CSV table of all heavy atoms in Angstrom, one decimal:
chain,number,residue,atom,x,y,z
A,1,VAL,N,27.8,-27.6,31.9
A,1,VAL,CA,27.6,-27.6,30.5
A,1,VAL,C,28.1,-28.9,29.8
A,1,VAL,O,27.4,-29.5,29.0
A,1,VAL,CB,28.2,-26.3,29.9
A,1,VAL,CG1,28.1,-26.4,28.3
A,1,VAL,CG2,27.5,-25.1,30.4
A,2,THR,N,29.4,-29.2,30.1
A,2,THR,CA,30.0,-30.3,29.4
A,2,THR,C,29.5,-31.7,29.9
A,2,THR,O,29.5,-32.6,29.2
A,2,THR,CB,31.5,-30.2,29.5
A,2,THR,OG1,31.9,-30.2,30.9
A,2,THR,CG2,32.0,-29.0,28.9
A,3,GLY,N,29.1,-31.7,31.2
A,3,GLY,CA,28.7,-33.0,31.7
A,3,GLY,C,27.2,-33.1,31.9
A,3,GLY,O,26.7,-34.2,32.4
A,4,GLY,N,26.4,-32.1,31.5
A,4,GLY,CA,25.0,-32.2,31.6
A,4,GLY,C,24.5,-32.3,33.0
A,4,GLY,O,23.4,-32.9,33.3
A,5,GLU,N,25.2,-31.6,33.9
A,5,GLU,CA,24.8,-31.7,35.3
A,5,GLU,C,23.9,-30.5,35.7
A,5,GLU,O,23.8,-29.5,35.0
A,5,GLU,CB,26.0,-31.7,36.2
A,5,GLU,CG,27.0,-32.8,36.0
A,5,GLU,CD,28.2,-32.8,36.8
A,5,GLU,OE1,28.3,-31.9,37.7
A,5,GLU,OE2,29.1,-33.6,36.6
A,6,ASN,N,23.2,-30.7,36.9
A,6,ASN,CA,22.3,-29.6,37.4
A,6,ASN,C,23.1,-28.4,37.7
A,6,ASN,O,24.0,-28.4,38.6
A,6,ASN,CB,21.6,-30.1,38.6
A,6,ASN,CG,20.7,-29.1,39.2
A,6,ASN,OD1,20.4,-28.0,38.6
A,6,ASN,ND2,20.1,-29.4,40.4
A,7,PRO,N,22.9,-27.2,37.0
A,7,PRO,CA,23.7,-26.0,37.3
A,7,PRO,C,23.3,-25.3,38.6
A,7,PRO,O,24.0,-24.4,39.0
A,7,PRO,CB,23.3,-25.1,36.1
A,7,PRO,CG,22.0,-25.6,35.7
A,7,PRO,CD,21.9,-27.0,35.9
A,8,LEU,N,22.2,-25.7,39.2
A,8,LEU,CA,21.8,-25.0,40.4
A,8,LEU,C,22.2,-25.7,41.7
A,8,LEU,O,22.1,-25.1,42.8
A,8,LEU,CB,20.2,-25.0,40.4
A,8,LEU,CG,19.6,-24.4,39.2
A,8,LEU,CD1,18.1,-24.4,39.3
A,8,LEU,CD2,20.1,-23.0,38.8
A,9,HIS,N,22.8,-26.8,41.6
A,9,HIS,CA,23.3,-27.5,42.8
A,9,HIS,C,24.5,-28.3,42.5
A,9,HIS,O,24.7,-28.8,41.4
A,9,HIS,CB,22.2,-28.5,43.4
A,9,HIS,CG,22.5,-29.1,44.7
A,9,HIS,ND1,23.2,-30.3,44.8
A,9,HIS,CD2,22.2,-28.7,45.9
A,9,HIS,CE1,23.3,-30.6,46.1
A,9,HIS,NE2,22.8,-29.7,46.8
A,10,SER,N,25.4,-28.5,43.5
A,10,SER,CA,26.6,-29.3,43.3
A,10,SER,C,26.9,-30.1,44.5
A,10,SER,O,26.8,-29.7,45.6
A,10,SER,CB,27.8,-28.4,42.9
A,10,SER,OG,29.0,-29.1,42.8
A,11,ALA,N,27.3,-31.4,44.2
A,11,ALA,CA,27.8,-32.3,45.3
A,11,ALA,C,29.3,-32.3,45.3
A,11,ALA,O,29.9,-33.1,46.1
A,11,ALA,CB,27.2,-33.7,45.1
A,12,ALA,N,30.0,-31.5,44.6
A,12,ALA,CA,31.5,-31.6,44.5
A,12,ALA,C,32.1,-30.9,45.8
A,12,ALA,O,33.2,-31.2,46.1
A,12,ALA,CB,32.0,-30.9,43.3
A,13,LEU,N,31.3,-30.1,46.5
A,13,LEU,CA,31.8,-29.5,47.7
A,13,LEU,C,30.8,-29.8,48.8
A,13,LEU,O,29.7,-30.3,48.6
A,13,LEU,CB,31.9,-27.9,47.6
A,13,LEU,CG,33.1,-27.3,46.8
A,13,LEU,CD1,33.0,-25.8,46.9
A,13,LEU,CD2,34.4,-27.8,47.4
A,14,ASN,N,31.2,-29.6,50.0
A,14,ASN,CA,30.4,-29.8,51.2
A,14,ASN,C,29.8,-31.2,51.2
A,14,ASN,O,28.6,-31.4,51.5
A,14,ASN,CB,29.3,-28.8,51.2
A,14,ASN,CG,28.5,-28.8,52.5
A,14,ASN,OD1,29.0,-29.1,53.6
A,14,ASN,ND2,27.2,-28.4,52.5
A,15,VAL,N,30.6,-32.2,50.9
A,15,VAL,CA,30.2,-33.5,51.0
A,15,VAL,C,29.9,-33.9,52.5
A,15,VAL,O,30.6,-33.5,53.3
A,15,VAL,CB,31.3,-34.5,50.4
A,15,VAL,CG1,30.9,-35.9,50.6
A,15,VAL,CG2,31.6,-34.2,49.0
A,16,PRO,N,28.7,-34.5,52.7
A,16,PRO,CA,27.8,-35.2,51.8
A,16,PRO,C,26.6,-34.4,51.4
A,16,PRO,O,25.7,-34.9,50.8
A,16,PRO,CB,27.4,-36.4,52.7
A,16,PRO,CG,27.4,-35.8,54.1
A,16,PRO,CD,28.5,-34.8,54.2
A,17,HIS,N,26.5,-33.1,51.8
A,17,HIS,CA,25.2,-32.4,51.6
A,17,HIS,C,25.2,-31.6,50.3
A,17,HIS,O,24.1,-31.3,49.7
A,17,HIS,CB,25.0,-31.4,52.8
A,17,HIS,CG,24.9,-32.1,54.1
A,17,HIS,ND1,24.0,-33.0,54.4
A,17,HIS,CD2,25.8,-32.1,55.2
A,17,HIS,CE1,24.2,-33.5,55.6
A,17,HIS,NE2,25.3,-32.9,56.1
A,18,GLY,N,26.4,-31.1,49.8
A,18,GLY,CA,26.4,-30.3,48.6
A,18,GLY,C,26.1,-28.9,48.9
A,18,GLY,O,25.9,-28.4,50.0
A,19,VAL,N,26.0,-28.1,47.8
A,19,VAL,CA,25.9,-26.6,47.9
A,19,VAL,C,24.7,-26.2,46.9
A,19,VAL,O,24.7,-26.6,45.8
A,19,VAL,CB,27.2,-25.9,47.5
A,19,VAL,CG1,27.0,-24.4,47.6
A,19,VAL,CG2,28.3,-26.3,48.4
A,20,ASN,N,23.9,-25.3,47.5
A,20,ASN,CA,22.8,-24.7,46.7
A,20,ASN,C,23.5,-23.5,45.9
A,20,ASN,O,23.7,-22.5,46.5
A,20,ASN,CB,21.7,-24.2,47.6
A,20,ASN,CG,20.5,-23.7,46.8
A,20,ASN,OD1,20.6,-23.1,45.7
A,20,ASN,ND2,19.3,-24.0,47.3
A,21,LEU,N,23.8,-23.8,44.7
A,21,LEU,CA,24.5,-22.7,43.9
A,21,LEU,C,23.6,-21.6,43.6
A,21,LEU,O,24.1,-20.4,43.4
A,21,LEU,CB,25.0,-23.3,42.6
A,21,LEU,CG,26.0,-24.5,42.8
A,21,LEU,CD1,26.5,-25.0,41.4
A,21,LEU,CD2,27.2,-24.1,43.6
A,22,MET,N,22.3,-21.8,43.4
A,22,MET,CA,21.4,-20.7,43.1
A,22,MET,C,21.3,-19.7,44.3
A,22,MET,O,21.0,-18.5,44.1
A,22,MET,CB,20.0,-21.3,42.8
A,22,MET,CG,19.1,-20.3,42.2
A,22,MET,SD,19.6,-19.7,40.6
A,22,MET,CE,18.8,-18.1,40.5
A,23,ALA,N,21.5,-20.2,45.5
A,23,ALA,CA,21.5,-19.4,46.7
A,23,ALA,C,22.9,-18.8,47.0
A,23,ALA,O,23.0,-18.0,48.0
A,23,ALA,CB,21.1,-20.2,47.9
A,24,ASN,N,23.8,-19.0,46.1
A,24,ASN,CA,25.2,-18.4,46.2
A,24,ASN,C,25.4,-17.6,44.9
A,24,ASN,O,24.7,-17.7,44.0
A,24,ASN,CB,26.2,-19.5,46.5
A,24,ASN,CG,26.2,-20.0,47.9
A,24,ASN,OD1,26.9,-19.5,48.8
A,24,ASN,ND2,25.4,-21.0,48.2
A,25,THR,N,26.6,-17.0,44.9
A,25,THR,CA,26.9,-16.1,43.7
A,25,THR,C,27.5,-17.0,42.6
A,25,THR,O,28.7,-17.0,42.4
A,25,THR,CB,27.8,-15.0,44.1
A,25,THR,OG1,29.0,-15.5,44.8
A,25,THR,CG2,27.1,-14.0,45.0
A,26,SER,N,26.7,-17.8,41.9
A,26,SER,CA,27.2,-18.8,41.0
A,26,SER,C,27.5,-18.2,39.6
A,26,SER,O,28.1,-18.9,38.8
A,26,SER,CB,26.2,-19.9,40.8
A,26,SER,OG,24.9,-19.4,40.5
A,27,VAL,N,27.1,-16.9,39.3
A,27,VAL,CA,27.4,-16.2,38.1
A,27,VAL,C,27.3,-17.1,36.8
A,27,VAL,O,28.2,-17.2,36.0
A,27,VAL,CB,28.8,-15.5,38.1
A,27,VAL,CG1,28.7,-14.3,39.0
A,27,VAL,CG2,29.9,-16.4,38.5
A,28,LEU,N,26.2,-17.9,36.7
A,28,LEU,CA,26.0,-18.7,35.6
A,28,LEU,C,25.9,-17.9,34.3
A,28,LEU,O,26.3,-18.4,33.2
A,28,LEU,CB,24.7,-19.5,35.8
A,28,LEU,CG,24.8,-20.7,36.8
A,28,LEU,CD1,23.4,-21.2,37.1
A,28,LEU,CD2,25.7,-21.8,36.4
A,29,GLY,N,25.5,-16.7,34.4
A,29,GLY,CA,25.4,-15.8,33.2
A,29,GLY,C,26.8,-15.5,32.6
A,29,GLY,O,26.9,-15.2,31.4
A,30,LEU,N,27.9,-15.7,33.4
A,30,LEU,CA,29.2,-15.6,32.9
A,30,LEU,C,29.8,-17.0,32.6
A,30,LEU,O,30.5,-17.2,31.6
A,30,LEU,CB,30.1,-14.8,33.9
A,30,LEU,CG,29.9,-13.3,34.0
A,30,LEU,CD1,30.7,-12.8,35.2
A,30,LEU,CD2,30.2,-12.6,32.8
A,31,GLY,N,29.6,-17.9,33.6
A,31,GLY,CA,30.2,-19.2,33.5
A,31,GLY,C,29.8,-20.0,32.3
A,31,GLY,O,30.6,-20.7,31.7
A,32,VAL,N,28.5,-20.0,32.0
A,32,VAL,CA,28.1,-20.8,30.9
A,32,VAL,C,28.6,-20.3,29.5
A,32,VAL,O,29.2,-21.1,28.8
A,32,VAL,CB,26.5,-20.8,30.8
A,32,VAL,CG1,26.0,-21.5,29.6
A,32,VAL,CG2,26.0,-21.6,32.1
A,33,PRO,N,28.5,-19.1,29.2
A,33,PRO,CA,29.1,-18.6,27.9
A,33,PRO,C,30.7,-18.7,27.9
A,33,PRO,O,31.3,-18.8,26.8
A,33,PRO,CB,28.7,-17.2,27.7
A,33,PRO,CG,28.3,-16.7,29.1
A,33,PRO,CD,27.8,-17.9,29.8
A,34,LEU,N,31.3,-18.7,29.0
A,34,LEU,CA,32.8,-18.8,29.1
A,34,LEU,C,33.3,-20.2,29.2
A,34,LEU,O,34.5,-20.5,29.3
A,34,LEU,CB,33.3,-18.0,30.3
A,34,LEU,CG,33.3,-16.5,30.1
A,34,LEU,CD1,33.8,-15.8,31.4
A,34,LEU,CD2,34.2,-16.1,29.0
A,35,THR,N,32.3,-21.2,29.0
A,35,THR,CA,32.7,-22.6,29.1
A,35,THR,C,33.9,-23.0,28.2
A,35,THR,O,34.8,-23.7,28.6
A,35,THR,CB,31.5,-23.5,28.9
A,35,THR,OG1,30.6,-23.4,29.9
A,35,THR,CG2,31.9,-25.0,28.7
A,36,PRO,N,33.9,-22.6,26.9
A,36,PRO,CA,35.0,-22.9,26.1
A,36,PRO,C,36.3,-22.4,26.6
A,36,PRO,O,37.4,-23.1,26.5
A,36,PRO,CB,34.7,-22.3,24.7
A,36,PRO,CG,33.2,-22.1,24.7
A,36,PRO,CD,32.8,-21.9,26.2
A,37,VAL,N,36.3,-21.2,27.2
A,37,VAL,CA,37.6,-20.6,27.7
A,37,VAL,C,38.0,-21.4,28.9
A,37,VAL,O,39.2,-21.8,29.1
A,37,VAL,CB,37.3,-19.1,28.1
A,37,VAL,CG1,38.6,-18.6,28.8
A,37,VAL,CG2,37.0,-18.3,26.9
A,38,THR,N,37.1,-21.8,29.8
A,38,THR,CA,37.4,-22.5,31.0
A,38,THR,C,37.9,-23.9,30.7
A,38,THR,O,38.9,-24.3,31.3
A,38,THR,CB,36.1,-22.7,31.9
A,38,THR,OG1,35.6,-21.4,32.1
A,38,THR,CG2,36.5,-23.3,33.2
A,39,VAL,N,37.3,-24.6,29.7
A,39,VAL,CA,37.8,-25.9,29.4
A,39,VAL,C,39.1,-25.9,28.7
A,39,VAL,O,40.0,-26.7,29.0
A,39,VAL,CB,36.7,-26.6,28.4
A,39,VAL,CG1,37.2,-27.9,27.9
A,39,VAL,CG2,35.4,-26.8,29.2
A,40,ALA,N,39.4,-24.9,27.8
A,40,ALA,CA,40.6,-24.8,27.1
A,40,ALA,C,41.8,-24.3,27.9
A,40,ALA,O,42.9,-24.7,27.8
A,40,ALA,CB,40.4,-24.0,25.8
A,41,PHE,N,41.5,-23.3,28.8
A,41,PHE,CA,42.6,-22.6,29.4
A,41,PHE,C,42.6,-22.6,31.0
A,41,PHE,O,43.5,-22.1,31.6
A,41,PHE,CB,42.6,-21.1,29.0
A,41,PHE,CG,42.8,-20.9,27.5
A,41,PHE,CD1,41.7,-20.6,26.7
A,41,PHE,CD2,44.0,-21.2,26.8
A,41,PHE,CE1,41.7,-20.4,25.3
A,41,PHE,CE2,44.1,-21.0,25.5
A,41,PHE,CZ,43.0,-20.7,24.7
A,42,GLY,N,41.5,-23.1,31.5
A,42,GLY,CA,41.4,-23.2,33.0
A,42,GLY,C,40.7,-22.1,33.6
A,42,GLY,O,40.3,-21.1,33.0
A,43,SER,N,40.4,-22.3,34.9
A,43,SER,CA,39.6,-21.4,35.7
A,43,SER,C,40.2,-20.0,35.9
A,43,SER,O,39.5,-19.0,35.9
A,43,SER,CB,39.2,-22.0,37.0
A,43,SER,OG,40.4,-22.2,37.8
A,44,GLN,N,41.5,-19.9,36.0
A,44,GLN,CA,42.1,-18.6,36.2
A,44,GLN,C,42.0,-17.7,35.0
A,44,GLN,O,41.6,-16.5,35.2
A,44,GLN,CB,43.6,-18.8,36.6
A,44,GLN,CG,44.3,-17.4,36.9
A,44,GLN,CD,45.7,-17.6,37.3
A,44,GLN,OE1,46.4,-18.6,37.0
A,44,GLN,NE2,46.3,-16.7,38.1
A,45,VAL,N,42.3,-18.2,33.8
A,45,VAL,CA,42.1,-17.4,32.6
A,45,VAL,C,40.6,-17.0,32.5
A,45,VAL,O,40.3,-15.9,32.1
A,45,VAL,CB,42.6,-18.2,31.4
A,45,VAL,CG1,42.2,-17.5,30.1
A,45,VAL,CG2,44.1,-18.4,31.5
A,46,ALA,N,39.7,-18.0,32.7
A,46,ALA,CA,38.3,-17.6,32.6
A,46,ALA,C,37.9,-16.5,33.6
A,46,ALA,O,37.1,-15.6,33.2
A,46,ALA,CB,37.5,-18.9,32.9
A,47,PHE,N,38.4,-16.5,34.8
A,47,PHE,CA,38.1,-15.5,35.7
A,47,PHE,C,38.6,-14.1,35.2
A,47,PHE,O,37.9,-13.1,35.3
A,47,PHE,CB,38.8,-15.8,37.1
A,47,PHE,CG,38.6,-14.7,38.1
A,47,PHE,CD1,37.4,-14.6,38.8
A,47,PHE,CD2,39.6,-13.8,38.4
A,47,PHE,CE1,37.2,-13.6,39.8
A,47,PHE,CE2,39.5,-12.8,39.3
A,47,PHE,CZ,38.3,-12.7,40.0
């Protein structure tokens, strides 16, 4: 959300191939609306 990156794929893990987030439990329906919480307080509080 904050970086305008593709929400369905990430190259931050499994370098050099990346991860198909849509094929994993990416819970974008929670992660996107909780972005302000994650940015302000971190991933543990968001979880």
Side-chain angles (χ1 to χ4, degrees):
V1 172
T2 58
E5 299 179 4
N6 181 4
L8 307 182
H9 187 272
S10 176
L13 282 182
N14 190 31
V15 175
H17 303 294
V19 179
N20 188 324
L21 301 180
M22 193 63 203
N24 284 267
T25 52
S26 55
V27 289
L28 289 169
L30 290 171
V32 170
L34 285 176
T35 292
V37 177
T38 308
V39 172
F41 303 104
S43 62
Q44 184 178 24
V45 172
F47 176 81

